[in-house]
Amino acid sequence: MAGAARPAVTPDVPGSRPVVVQELRPVADGVVLVELVAVDGGRLAPWEPGAHVDLTLPSGRVRPYSLCGDPADRETYRIAVRHAPDGRGGSAEVHALRVGLRIGVSRPRNRFPLVLADHYLFIAGGIGITPLLPMVRAAAAAGRDWSLLYGGRSRASVAFADELRTLGADRVHIIPEDTHGLLDLATALAGTPPGAAVYCCGPEPLITAVEQAMAADFPDRHLHTERFGALLQAAPAARAFEVELRRTGHVLPVPPDRTLLEAIRQVVPETAAFCEEGFCGTCELRVLDGTPDHRDTVLADSERHRRDVIYPCVSRAHSPRLVVDL
């Protein structure tokens, strides 16, 4: 039909599947829930609580978002996105989506899985509730002992509050900062038994505070975290090194003012990397030789000795040469 709006063309990102925006609705101030279904009406790839997908937006931006729907629903993916005016444009583009628009979605990946435990403490800050929401549902459905400490800037900014209360009103503690101040982490942690699994997602100051509180007073609890941004810490001085791309045969210099990813993209421009801040894990490469200098937030503290993997968007090398499977 002449004059009809044409659907946006989604770039062909390897592993991405076309989906259609089926529903958009606000769930809190500045937060929109997006419901996606397959273009062909088929079933979507399975996932478990804690998983995220990479969305390929109409502009070509690729951004990771946690799935917050029901893993048993194979026809629908749901994400919730807070608008970040000072961000890199991904959240603003999500908020500008329209029902019927076609975008791309990757297969779910899970670097924040829910482990089996007798007791769970979930700690969420702001939009950090998204990966935790399916976990809370799963813990409640399994009859496990659980509680949720959930902070937001204001009551109006807290997403999914009503649904969470239906899962266990006496277990859900919502703390708006403007009226109640910061979360009382010490009291919440003291209410957990030894061996409890503590899951935390939210702003970096919250995660850091939980890490410090547990290290100081609750070392017998088990902490699991997911960050939506790069780790805020002083980075070690960058040193020059070389990277050898074993399959292509190239040996490339990586000067102090260039990332490993930038160097690799000189000869392999299609090397995937979405967040480019060290937290989504998309750029993972296999290390064949050399010693990585891990500066990402994907690996847990117990994994930072690993020499078989690297995230080149932020990580570097301790050794003069690093050999990767590329």
Side-chain angles (χ1 to χ4, degrees), residues 18-313:
V19 290
V20 172
V21 178
Q22 177 171 266
E23 182 182 4
L24 287 149
R25 60 182 173 88
V27 290
D29 282 356
V31 180
V32 64
L33 180 72
V34 184
E35 188 172 283
L36 306 167
V37 295
V39 168
D40 59 9
R43 304 183 82 194
L44 296 167
W47 61 281
E48 295 181 347
H52 74 270
V53 292
D54 301 313
L55 293 191
T56 305
L57 299 169
S59 67
R61 292 186 180 96
V62 181
R63 296 291 187 269
Y65 295 108
S66 295
L67 291 167
C68 61
D70 181 358
D73 180 3
R74 292 287 303 279
E75 281 70 47
T76 308
Y77 284 160
R78 292 179 180 86
I79 62 169
V81 180
R82 182 179 300 281
H83 182 214
D86 56 349
R88 296 186 296 142
S91 67
E93 190 169 358
V94 170
H95 277 246
L97 294 174
R98 294 292 179 266
V99 171
L101 193 66
R102 171 176 161 168
I103 60 176
V105 66
S106 71
R107 291 185 63 87
R109 293 180 294 144
N110 199 344
R111 300 185 182 277
F112 192 42
L114 183 65
V115 300
L116 183 63
D118 292 326
H119 185 98
Y120 298 95
L121 171 61
F122 302 105
I123 303 174
I127 200 61
I129 190 63
T130 51
L132 300 184
L133 180 58
M135 297 185 185
V136 172
R137 292 195 199 104
R144 300 289 176 176
D145 190 10
W146 64 273
S147 60
L148 169 68
L149 188 63
Y150 182 8
R153 293 180 180 176
S154 66
R155 188 164 295 277
S157 72
V158 174
F160 307 113
D162 291 341
E163 177 183 349
L164 287 163
R165 289 193 185 96
T166 66
L167 296 173
D170 59 331
R171 300 171 183 264
V172 175
H173 308 281
I174 295 176
I175 312 296
E177 185 177 347
D178 60 348
T179 58
H180 291 71
L182 299 176
L183 300 180
D184 185 351
L185 300 176
T187 298
L189 289 165
T192 62
V198 179
Y199 278 80
C200 180
C201 184
E204 182 59 35
L206 172 63
I207 295 178
T208 299
V210 173
E211 290 174 334
Q212 292 174 346
M214 291 186 63
D217 300 312
F218 305 97
D220 53 359
R221 277 66 161 173
H222 304 293
L223 179 60
H224 308 264
T225 63
E226 183 171 66
R227 288 173 161 89
F228 285 160
L231 186 61
L232 301 179
Q233 64 179 14
R239 298 186 303 171
F241 63 99
E242 292 181 335
V243 59
E244 177 185 336
L245 311 185
R246 176 60 55 86
R247 281 184 278 150
T248 67
H250 288 88
V251 176
L252 307 169
V254 185
D257 61 349
R258 172 169 287 187
T259 68
L260 174 55
L261 177 65
E262 289 171 336
I264 290 171
R265 279 180 166 171
Q266 292 179 92
V267 294
V268 190
E270 69 274 13
T271 302
F274 296 157
C275 78
E276 299 194 22
E277 294 182 13
F279 66 87
C280 79
T282 307
C283 63
E284 179 178 295
L285 291 177
R286 189 160 69 98
V287 175
L288 303 178
D289 195 15
T291 306
D293 175 7
H294 295 297
R295 303 189 180 193
D296 61 273
T297 59
V298 177
L299 296 175
D301 288 344
S302 60
E303 299 179 293
R304 307 200 76 76
H305 66 283
R306 288 180 59 179
R307 299 181 60 170
D308 63 327
V309 67
I310 194 168
Y311 299 94
C313 66

